[in-house]
Amino acid sequence: MMDFAAAKSPTRKVFAERMTARGDTDSEFVVFESDLAKSTYSYIFKDKHPERYFNMGIAEIGTVASAAGMAAEGRNVVVCGYGVFITMRALEAIRSFICYPHLNVKFLSSHGGLTAAIDGVTHQATEDIAFMTTIPQMKVLVPADSASAAAAFDIALDTPGPVFTRLMRDPLFELYGPGESFKLGGSKVVRKGKDVTIATYGDMVFQSLLAADELAKQGIDAEVIDFYSLKPWDQATLAESLKKTGALVVAENHQRRNGFGYEAAVWTLMNNPVPTELIGLEDTFAESGSYPITIDKFGLSGPKIAAKTAALVAKKR
């Protein structure tokens, strides 16, 4: 059964806190902001290390270009902002100025997916994974809770080249203990099962675990895997799980098209074809509203994931 402690802090804040703590002992990285310091919590770093903090105003392209210039001179740079603005307004600059020369720029990207909820469509980054995983040389991380968010900062800073970390607007639940280890290209099997594999990441880890609880009542034993590293991703763990379950569901808080589901489905088709269901936004914008109501309306809640998973298992049988 899903039984977690409620999170006290959103992953965006935990990431910024870890950034600040690393800044106490590592003087070689700097932080760039686009006038969203309170929202990204980068102000925590600014208060302790003002000489290494640069607010570039509401100008994401200029922020990314400036970060690229400093990174070209040998610095590690962290760029903070909202996912929609980083990945859309500044996309070409990220591609040409950062990824092409493989510069050490790391992105604190807040408000991923429908976790922006009440901030509405303009702030809901539901296409960001498609953009960032497509650009060559970009790495992508999506932590689900505080422990994985803190680890994500360390992974990002210590990984050569550009790294994009997708973070949430609000606190949800805590899944991992403080001693849990994470790595680039890793994943976590958070619930073992034998009938179907639910591959997921970020806030959908919790909804998938709720779905697994509901499925258990129907006699369906679901395995849930947290793919906190989306690029590179853990193909070996998925292959091992599918050998056992023979069915795949990918649940993500993102457009269904060109998300992680497409990546996993193509890989499965080429390596181990199994019945597959992809759950995400169906070529639609969402709307402003509370997080639980919004994800349910657009088919991403635990009960909705459970219903689609049960239908897939029935087809497999």
Side-chain angles (χ1 to χ4, degrees), residues 37-196:
K38 290 294 184 181
S39 289
T40 64
Y41 289 93
S42 66
Y43 76 89
I44 301 173
F45 184 92
K46 177 192 70 173
D47 289 347
K48 292 202 70 176
H49 308 288
E51 74 286 355
R52 291 191 280 139
Y53 181 88
F54 304 90
N55 184 355
M56 308 302 290
I58 306 173
E60 280 76 13
I61 296 175
T63 301
V64 168
S66 300
M70 191 164 285
E73 292 298 315
R75 288 273 198 172
N76 260 341
V77 184
V78 181
V79 172
C80 308
Y82 286 174
V84 284
F85 305 146
I86 289 173
T87 64
M88 292 187 175
R89 290 180 182 173
L91 183 61
E92 191 275 333
I94 292 171
R95 177 189 183 272
S96 299
F97 302 159
I98 291 174
C99 290
Y100 179 45
H102 198 244
L103 297 179
N104 287 320
V105 178
K106 325 299 177 180
F107 293 91
L108 184 171
S109 178
S110 183
H111 290 51
L114 299 187
T115 67
I118 62 172
D119 289 338
V121 170
T122 58
H123 288 60
Q124 295 166 355
T126 61
E127 308 86 4
D128 54 341
I129 298 301
F131 294 141
M132 292 296 102
T133 56
T134 299
I135 303 177
Q137 307 206 81
M138 178 67 83
K139 309 296 190 297
V140 178
L141 303 171
V142 189
D145 73 347
S146 294
S148 53
F153 180 80
D154 290 334
I155 294 170
L157 198 67
D158 297 337
T159 297
V163 182
F164 177 86
T165 304
R166 189 199 218 208
L167 301 158
M168 299 180 219
R169 181 188 188 278
D170 295 323
L172 293 177
F173 301 99
E174 302 293 5
L175 177 60
Y176 301 111
E180 197 79 34
S181 63
F182 300 87
K183 64 180 181 179
L184 186 69
S187 68
K188 297 281 187 184
V189 178
V190 294
R191 179 165 178 155
K192 293 185 178 297
K194 60 178 173 36
D195 295 325
V196 61

Side-chain angles (χ1 to χ4, degrees), residues 5-47:
K8 295 180 180 178
S9 297
T11 55
R12 56 179 168 147
K13 183 179 181 183
V14 175
F15 191 91
E17 289 172 340
R18 180 55 189 157
M19 177 172 73
T20 304
R22 276 290 295 262
D24 293 343
T25 57
D26 182 347
S27 62
E28 294 305 309
F29 75 90
V30 298
V31 174
F32 279 72
E33 178 61 77
S34 294
D35 210 31
L36 288 168
K38 290 294 184 181
S39 289
T40 64
Y41 289 93
S42 66
Y43 76 89
I44 301 173
F45 184 92
K46 177 192 70 173
D47 289 347

Side-chain angles (χ1 to χ4, degrees), residues 226-242:
D226 174 10
F227 285 92
Y228 60 82
S229 177
L230 287 187
K231 186 184 177 187
W233 63 280
D234 188 357
Q235 298 171 358
T237 293
L238 182 62
E240 183 179 353
S241 180
L242 292 179

